[in-house]
């Protein structure tokens, strides 16, 4: 049963979680999003997928025209701008608190989100190819940026869970991954060659609804086919701390997925030592 944490993290819990995150490049937190909120957001995901935008603001990559039910990976960017319940989930303070504990941040702010639906039995698998997130962000953001991945459905071993490569957060930025590449074996080979790594040790992030995994910007991750019979539904929430900055010469307006940092609908703050 989903039992979200309501108690503040102890200093010992924070130290142990941060050490694990630094060593492995990922961390699997206990369920953080309350079950009633998970149930409410499930309805709103269907609404946004159907093109019903509560705030009147469309997400990036409008889903209108997509097939119902979907037959390939659905990735809708910044749906939290379109819907208040989705906004509540991606900016949940329990996620912010763990994110701050893992990184020692004074402030945690959402800079982009992805609503992800991986259908079961999709032709071609709806795989997410191995990649490092920083290869997509490098032109825009530098420093402490990372991802919280929030399970909305039950993410079982059969549903194509995300898989993390242990310790790959210590590899260089390889620029050899491919989110949209379906051939996981070929991309793995390329990353092994480029990194010079001797070992490739994967962990699948099996998560109950409302549970959250966190991964470092350099951690190699991807996911295989969903054979569970049910869609795998989640949010990837991309976070920045007070130790991040825009790359030189870049304005947030120049980058499609990047929300205005002063606009709390697009860039909510989920943790701050000086709560405003
Ligand atoms: O949902 C997946 O399988 C991969 C998501 C991802 O690449 C991410 O959250 O950074």
């Amino acid at each position: 049963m989903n039992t979200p944490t309501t108690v503040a993290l102890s200093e010992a819990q924070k130290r142990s979680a941060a050490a694990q995150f630094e060593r492995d490049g990922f961390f699997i937190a206990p369920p953080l999003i309350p079950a009633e909120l998970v149930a409410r957001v499930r309805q709103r995901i269907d609404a946004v997928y159907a093109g019903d935008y509560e705030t009147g603001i469309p997400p990036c990559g409008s889903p209108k025209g997509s097939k119902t039910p979907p037959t390939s990976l659905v990735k809708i960017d910044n749906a939290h701008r379109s819907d208040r319940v989705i906004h509540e989930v991606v900016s949940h303070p329990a996620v912010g608190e763990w994110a701050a504990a893992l990184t020692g941040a004074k402030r945690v702010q959402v800079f982009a989100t992805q609503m992800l639906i991986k259908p079961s039995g999709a032709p071609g698998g709806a795989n997410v190819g191995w990649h490092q997130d920083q290869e997509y962000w490098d032109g825009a953001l530098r420093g402490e940026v990372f991802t919280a991945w929030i399970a909305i459905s039950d993410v079982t071993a059969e549903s194509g869970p995300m898989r993390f490569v242990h310790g790959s957060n210590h590899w260089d930025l390889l620029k050899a991954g491919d989110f949209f590449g379906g051939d996981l074996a070929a991309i793995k080979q390329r990353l092994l060659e480029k990194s010079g790594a001797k070992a490739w040790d994967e962990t699948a992030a099996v998560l109950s609804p409302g549970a959250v995994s966190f991964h470092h910007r350099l951690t190699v991750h991807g996911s295989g086919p969903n054979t569970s019979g049910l869609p795998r539904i989640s949010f990837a929430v991309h976070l920045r701390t007070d130790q991040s900055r825009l790359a030189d010469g870049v304005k947030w307006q120049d980058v499609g997925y990047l929300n205005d940092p002063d606009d709390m609908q697009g860039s909510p703050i989920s943790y701050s030592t000086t709560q405003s």
Side-chain angles (χ1 to χ4, degrees):
M1 188 60 201
N2 181 339
T3 321
T5 47
T6 48
V7 251
L9 298 172
S10 69
E11 287 309 311
Q13 269 178 313
K14 286 184 195 174
R15 273 197 303 277
S16 150
Q20 217 177 308
F21 188 65
E22 156 62 20
R23 186 191 61 214
D24 298 337
F26 63 92
F27 182 79
I28 297 179
L32 299 180
I33 307 295
E36 68 74 26
L37 180 52
V38 170
R40 271 193 295 136
V41 83
R42 185 68 189 78
Q43 311 299 316
R44 299 311 305 162
I45 289 168
D46 290 346
V48 168
Y49 183 69
D52 165 8
Y53 310 136
E54 186 205 9
T55 62
I57 305 171
C60 309
S62 166
K64 279 188 178 135
S66 305
K67 288 198 178 133
T68 303
T71 52
S72 57
L73 183 76
V74 174
K75 172 180 169 302
I76 296 173
D77 290 339
N78 292 327
H80 66 287
R81 300 178 69 223
S82 311
D83 190 274
R84 277 180 294 187
V85 179
I86 294 177
H87 190 274
E88 190 180 339
V89 169
V90 304
S91 59
H92 199 280
V95 177
E97 190 190 4
W98 274 96
L102 296 175
T103 56
K106 293 191 176 64
R107 200 172 74 131
V108 176
Q109 183 169 24
V110 174
F111 69 86
T113 65
Q114 297 173 10
M115 184 173 107
L116 296 163
I117 305 173
K118 185 194 283 261
S120 179
N127 295 350
V128 173
W130 298 111
H131 64 281
Q132 297 168 300
D133 288 341
Q134 187 65 19
E135 60 191 294
Y136 296 101
W137 301 335
D138 210 40
L141 281 165
R142 300 285 164 80
E144 191 96 73
V145 281
F146 59 111
T147 298
W149 195 95
I150 304 176
I152 300 301
S153 62
D154 195 9
V155 178
T156 60
E158 294 72 38
S159 68
M162 244 201 313
R163 305 181 72 83
F164 299 114
V165 179
H166 275 257
S168 51
N169 53 315
H170 299 292
W171 298 358
D172 291 336
L173 177 59
L174 302 171
K175 298 197 173 169
D178 184 3
F179 182 102
F180 297 101
D183 188 345
L184 289 161
I187 304 170
K188 172 178 172 180
Q189 194 52 39
R190 201 159 73 210
L191 288 166
L192 275 171
E193 278 162 21
K194 209 145 181 217
S195 65
K198 300 277 175 289
W200 178 284
D201 177 17
E202 292 170 24
T203 290
V206 170
L207 302 172
S208 59
V212 181
S213 66
F214 294 86
H215 60 270
H216 185 273
R217 63 188 175 280
L218 292 176
T219 300
V220 172
H221 58 286
S223 62
N226 176 0
T227 58
S228 68
L230 294 168
R232 191 208 73 174
I233 303 170
S234 63
F235 291 100
V237 183
H238 302 310
L239 300 168
R240 58 185 295 196
T241 76
D242 46 293
Q243 298 300 314
S244 70
R245 60 173 179 82
L246 290 182
D248 291 342
V250 169
K251 296 190 188 64
W252 67 265
Q253 296 93 328
D254 300 339
V255 184
Y257 59 80
L258 200 59
N259 291 294
D260 176 353
D262 294 326
D263 164 19
M264 292 302 115
Q265 182 66 27
S267 303
I269 293 172
S270 53
Y271 178 86
S272 174
T273 47
T274 52
Q275 293 290 347
S276 51

